[in-house]
Amino acid sequence: MLIVITGTTQKPASSERLKEFFRKYNDEYSGYLYIGYPIIGTVNGAYPIDAIWVSKEKGLVVFNLIDGKNI
């Protein structure tokens, strides 16, 4: 079972697509999917990471999402 925890994201379309993927394959993937959480603290403030999947089987997977035309 996968648990999705959503924070604030600047990439709503691609974040939603990622959630849809994990919902579709919920039986195959388990763990926690964190979307839009400031995980890394820097001297300039929190640095948001688009998405992180934490799984016992796969470990830690970081997603760098692209939303819109700017890469």
Side-chain angles (χ1 to χ4, degrees):
M1 181 170 98
L2 183 82
I3 298 171
V4 179
I5 302 168
T6 305
T8 304
T9 179
Q10 300 293 322
K11 301 174 182 176
S14 54
S15 296
E16 190 58 37
R17 295 287 306 265
L18 184 63
K19 285 192 273 187
E20 288 172 9
F21 172 84
F22 276 100
R23 286 184 190 128
K24 182 176 180 180
Y25 297 102
N26 193 30
D27 294 338
E28 297 177 38
Y29 299 105
S30 63
Y32 294 87
L33 177 65
Y34 296 93
I35 296 177
Y37 275 87
I39 303 297
I40 300 173
T42 68
V43 294
N44 296 326
Y47 180 79
I49 294 178
D50 296 332
I52 295 178
W53 173 38
V54 182
S55 166
K56 285 183 181 179
E57 296 79 26
K58 303 294 181 184
L60 180 71
V61 179
V62 177
F63 294 92
N64 183 17
L65 302 175
I66 298 173
D67 204 84
K69 296 180 182 178
N70 297 330
I71 297 178

